[in-house]
Amino acid sequence: WLDATAETCAFSDIPDGDRGCEGLIVREGKGEFKVIPPYRPEENGMRIKSTINLTPEGTAVAEVDCEMMGALAQQIRATLRSIPPTRHKEFVTALTQKFLAGGKLETYSLPDGLDKEGSVKLHLKASINDYAEKTGSLMLVPLTIGNSTSQQTQPFTSEARLHPIVQNYIARHSVEVTINLPKGFTVGELPNNINISSPIQSYQRTTRKSDDGRSVLFAEMEEEKSGRVPPSDYKQVQSFFTTLSRQNKARLILKEDK
């Protein structure tokens, strides 16, 4: 499949608006309607890898590598083409807040949007003055990074639902973060690992210490699935987001050596 009119679509990709629609195939004088394939999860979404270096005061310097694929890559290319290069830093500064709330952008690299080869890759470095919270001899470190499902609040607050929930979007988002501990601190407590799902979404999170105990490795994977959830299964979707909202408050606890 090919849409030759899509200026921001990478070669071998198909515009998000075309996917799931019917296309007329003419072959040997005969026409036939076929559905343009939707994305596979691994073709659409983003992959984030980050290293966060903490200081004893709770400030941090973070480096983030983000690979955006599919519909997201098309949106980024379209945005970069629509603004002059002199405003690209302003655009990345705004993106920095999505990855690292309160972060101050220091350096970055990002394509100009004119390329049409594969995914869009962003690298940025930012400093954060109040990344972790200190209380007594403890340091509370947030785990969330990037615009992931785990940062969402509960969107389904009604007790019951009359109509089905319909989702046509398919995507996969992954985050891997290495948190390097500050001098004079060790791991006090790790957040629990979680693995939850609903008919249209799934989410996994793991945290573990490095072999030398000087870093914490955090990973999460979110997958959005196409589907139709009847009102009778509404509670499953509601419970999914309720659990996520609670887990969003989870913190890595570091303790100061004495």
Side-chain angles (χ1 to χ4, degrees):
W1 295 91
L2 174 68
D3 186 339
T5 67
E7 294 185 359
T8 61
C9 191
F11 296 117
S12 79
D13 197 1
I14 307 168
D16 184 46
D18 291 352
R19 291 182 179 270
C21 300
E22 288 189 333
L24 176 62
I25 306 299
V26 179
R27 183 182 292 116
E28 296 179 354
K30 296 181 180 180
E32 179 184 9
F33 282 100
K34 288 194 173 184
V35 175
I36 299 173
Y39 278 117
R40 297 192 301 271
E42 63 272 16
E43 296 175 326
N44 193 34
M46 62 182 175
R47 289 191 286 260
I48 298 173
K49 291 188 177 182
S50 178
T51 299
I52 298 175
N53 295 306
L54 279 170
T55 70
E57 294 72 36
T59 64
V61 174
E63 293 201 44
V64 179
D65 288 289
C66 179
E67 181 180 9
M68 294 161 277
M69 301 158 289
L72 184 55
Q74 295 172 31
Q75 293 169 16
I76 295 295
R77 282 190 172 99
T79 299
L80 292 173
R81 286 175 173 225
S82 68
I83 59 178
T86 54
R87 291 189 58 196
H88 283 187
K89 184 177 181 179
E90 177 185 340
F91 173 66
V92 178
T93 298
L95 279 182
T96 300
Q97 299 307 308
K98 293 183 178 294
F99 295 118
L100 303 159
K104 180 182 178 181
L105 180 66
E106 295 186 358
T107 61
Y108 75 94
S109 62
L110 183 68
D112 58 12
L114 300 177
D115 69 298
K116 299 183 70 172
E117 292 290 339
S119 58
V120 174
K121 296 180 180 179
L122 164 68
H123 174 83
L124 65 85
K125 181 178 180 180
S127 57
I128 315 153
N129 286 332
D130 53 355
Y131 183 74
E133 178 184 354
K134 290 193 69 177
T135 173
S137 61
L138 300 179
M139 183 181 292
L140 309 181
V141 184
L143 293 179
T144 53
I145 184 172
N147 193 21
S148 65
T149 294
S150 64
Q151 294 176 271
Q152 297 180 18
T153 56
Q154 171 60 274
F156 300 105
T157 57
S158 301
E159 286 297 317
R161 189 176 177 91
L162 298 177
H163 305 287
I165 300 171
V166 179
Q167 177 165 287
N168 297 318
Y169 193 65
I170 299 173
R172 180 181 295 161
H173 310 295
S174 66
V175 176
E176 296 179 11
V177 181
T178 299
I179 301 174
N180 293 323
L181 274 57
K183 185 177 180 180
F185 283 81
T186 56
V187 175
E189 186 175 343
L190 294 172
N192 294 329
N193 295 336
I194 63 172
N195 187 345
I196 57 176
S197 64
S198 79
I200 53 174
Q201 282 173 308
S202 64
Y203 176 81
Q204 301 89 38
R205 185 189 70 201
T206 61
T207 53
R208 65 178 180 86
K209 289 191 293 185
S210 61
D211 292 340
D212 63 4
R214 297 306 307 155
S215 300
V216 170
L217 311 175
F218 159 65
E220 69 176 358
M221 176 79 73
E222 169 207 350
E223 190 163 313
E224 300 185 59
K225 311 169 188 176
S226 177
R228 183 184 181 92
V229 183
S232 59
D233 293 337
Y234 168 66
K235 290 293 184 182
Q236 296 182 39
V237 178
Q238 188 181 50
S239 176
F240 176 87
F241 281 99
T242 297
T243 301
L244 274 185
S245 296
R246 289 198 301 264
Q247 292 299 326
N248 186 35
K249 301 174 184 178
R251 295 292 185 269
L252 164 66
I253 301 177
L254 305 181
K255 58 183 180 181
E256 192 170 8
D257 299 335
K258 294 184 179 180

